[in-house]
Amino acid sequence: MQFVSTRRPSEQVSFKEALLRGLAPDGGLYVPTAIPSLPPDTWELAESFADLARRILTPWLEEEIAPAALDGILRQALDFPVPTVKVGEIFVLELFHGPTLSFKDYGARTMARLMNHFCTDEQLTILVATSGDTGSAVADGFAGQPNLRVAVLYPSGQVSPLQEKQLTVKRPGVRTFAVEGTFDDCQAMVKSLLTSPGDLRLSAANSINVGRLLPQMLYYFWACARRDWHQPVICVPCGNLGNLTAGVLAHLSGLPVGQFLAAHNANDGFPRFLAQSGVGFRDSVRTLSNAMDVGRPSNFERLQWLLGDTGLRALICGHSVSDATTLESMRRVYEAHGYIADPHTAVALEAVQSVHAPVLVLATAHPAKFADTVQRALGRAAPSAAALEGLRRMPYRVTPMKATARALRNNLRGWA
């Protein structure tokens, strides 16, 4: 299995190289030169999620990772439930039952173990920019891996208090930086150092890294293997478009999807592109669904490579939801069905209101992570989550930082 940059497809690299580099030297994103075909009998007969993971990822990785090693990595990383629940006529795939209560646990935990498997000669520093959930999932998933250390960047004052606590809890081999800027600033700092690392040995754990996307394909197959669906519409809450890109990779591998619906908040550059409005991407704005506050999504470049503009518009439609409508969606769903959705999932539940086909919505975060928003929308407390109960008693560590690549480079060089 070979990968090329979206900007210079002449240079092919292995999965190991693409994984450990994160971003291509020319600033492009790695994409596969060919996508394995996975017929239904490959994944429909899986006895467990770990079994399905092995069946799906073996054709991608079998030339570089021995079967027993891959099986061990997947069983250790993906040891939590993946339930589908019905909310009225809509099926909701709950992806928030991992240790940090976010769908990011799938990609982060798997990628950490894949990187640690390959990186045995010298310690690698992993950079991650986060607008909410990615950072805590990466910090938790990578912590304590002997060959890796992690630098997490988040926009100061622009994540929920609980998300900030998850991000800043002291973990072995992890440093967290509160950046005086936006998520787009954090992402630009990461990309700058990855393309010009100097004497630093770096990689990335954002969805710019193809190693994050391959594990995220798995739950698309799992959901469809558990239901007798014929080409469902799959609605994905979207920010940096990594989760959607993973779904597209699953579809190109053989998953029968009727259409993808990209559900966005006020950061609506991608829905406007799909609608051919002629307005480009712009700086991010803050919303209640803060993990989706991405103005210039990195994976747009990867989606264009995989599908082209015409293919994108044929397979994906977009929908944008305001904060006021997000709150109303949370109220409506709770009053009608007793289901408490976090604000990101509520954006998706609103986006599918006019869809009249079998619909699967990806629920990307536990509502307990957004207690203030749940209280505001429903007038009641969010459900508790055992994974969050001990956070307040744990020590934390965070370093303020200017939004410049030089500041990040200096902090990494001074990391004792």
Side-chain angles (χ1 to χ4, degrees):
M1 180 61 62
Q2 296 291 299
F3 293 80
V4 295
S5 168
T6 50
R7 300 182 187 179
R8 192 172 63 186
S10 58
E11 181 191 357
Q12 297 189 4
V13 301
S14 66
F15 173 75
K16 174 184 175 180
E17 291 174 277
L19 174 73
L20 296 183
R21 285 183 182 176
L23 194 68
D26 60 5
L29 280 67
Y30 283 114
V31 289
T33 57
I35 296 176
S37 177
L38 301 170
D41 60 3
T42 303
W43 44 275
E44 286 185 341
L45 302 179
E47 297 178 356
S48 66
F49 192 80
D51 180 37
L52 177 137
R54 178 185 57 78
R55 291 166 179 256
I56 296 297
L57 294 184
T58 292
W60 290 84
L61 305 178
E62 60 187 342
E63 295 180 359
E64 298 186 60
I65 304 179
L70 179 60
D71 187 64
I73 286 169
L74 297 173
R75 290 188 183 280
Q76 185 184 64
L78 304 171
D79 59 350
F80 44 88
V82 195
T84 301
V85 300
K86 199 169 184 186
V87 180
E89 296 303 312
I90 298 170
F91 291 93
V92 176
L93 181 64
E94 292 188 340
L95 300 175
F96 51 72
H97 294 280
T100 69
L101 307 181
S102 160
F103 80 99
K104 307 291 179 70
D105 285 324
Y106 293 86
R109 288 173 61 81
T110 306
M111 185 170 64
R113 286 149 181 82
L114 288 170
M115 282 185 161
N116 196 63
H117 172 81
F118 285 123
C119 188
T120 57
D121 57 339
E122 182 184 354
Q123 190 176 58
L124 184 67
T125 299
I126 310 300
L127 304 181
V128 57
T130 182
S131 57
D133 290 328
T134 296
S136 57
V138 170
D140 184 84
F142 280 73
Q145 296 293 319
N147 304 316
L148 308 171
R149 67 179 190 176
V150 181
V152 179
L153 286 67
Y154 73 96
S156 180
Q158 297 183 39
V159 300
S160 76
L162 189 54
Q163 285 177 317
E164 186 165 37
K165 187 63 177 174
Q166 283 188 298
L167 286 168
T168 58
V169 165
K170 287 183 69 173
R171 297 177 174 93
V174 178
R175 290 277 304 276
T176 304
F177 300 95
V179 175
E180 299 173 11
T182 67
F183 168 78
D184 293 324
D185 293 323
C186 298
Q187 186 163 255
M189 293 160 68
V190 168
K191 286 185 173 181
S192 176
L193 261 68
L194 289 173
T195 53
S196 300
D199 58 350
L200 298 170
R201 188 164 186 243
L202 304 174
S203 187
N206 284 74
S207 57
I208 58 177
N209 193 315
V210 72
R212 262 272 303 278
L213 301 185
L214 299 190
Q216 289 180 233
M217 294 191 302
L218 301 174
Y219 43 73
Y220 288 92
F221 284 101
W222 179 254
C224 290
R226 291 296 174 273
R227 298 286 173 184
D228 185 20
W229 278 324
H230 179 67
Q231 296 188 327
V233 172
I234 300 181
C235 185
V236 185
C238 288
N240 210 27
L241 299 179
N243 207 6
L244 180 64
T245 304
V248 168
L249 286 171
H251 174 64
L252 296 176
S253 298
L255 187 71
V257 176
Q259 190 172 50
F260 288 100
L261 176 52
H264 287 253
N265 55 28
N267 295 281
D268 60 352
F270 188 54
R272 287 185 286 108
F273 163 81
L274 294 171
Q276 297 181 296
S277 70
V279 181
F281 293 102
R282 55 196 177 193
D283 291 346
S284 60
V285 297
R286 295 177 64 179
T287 74
L288 294 174
S289 46
N290 63 284
M292 297 154 60
D293 291 350
V294 182
R296 297 180 175 85
S298 293
N299 280 287
F300 177 69
E301 182 173 338
R302 193 177 258 137
L303 285 170
Q304 280 188 308
W305 172 274
L306 292 170
L307 295 173
D309 288 359
T310 301
L312 271 172
R313 293 178 173 124
L315 182 62
I316 306 167
C317 62
H319 192 94
S320 174
V321 177
S322 69
D323 273 357
T325 306
T326 299
L327 293 170
E328 179 54 37
S329 174
M330 294 171 72
R331 282 191 290 269
R332 172 180 54 77
V333 170
Y334 178 66
E335 291 171 359
H337 309 292
Y339 188 80
I340 300 179
D342 84 285
H344 307 77
T345 306
V347 168
L349 290 168
E350 179 64 27
V352 300
Q353 284 303 291
S354 60
V355 178
H356 301 291
V359 175
L360 176 69
V361 165
L362 304 192
T364 54
H366 196 292
K369 300 183 75 170
F370 302 91
D372 292 346
T373 304
V374 170
Q375 182 70 44
R376 178 179 170 186
L378 308 183
R380 58 150 289 173
S384 62
L388 302 178
E389 295 302 320
L391 278 178
R392 292 175 179 84
R393 298 187 299 272
M394 297 176 69
Y396 69 93
R397 176 175 60 193
V398 61
T399 302
M401 186 166 60
K402 298 286 187 183
T404 68
R406 173 181 287 184
L408 177 57
R409 189 183 301 276
N410 289 340
N411 271 285
L412 294 180
R413 284 176 172 162
W415 189 342

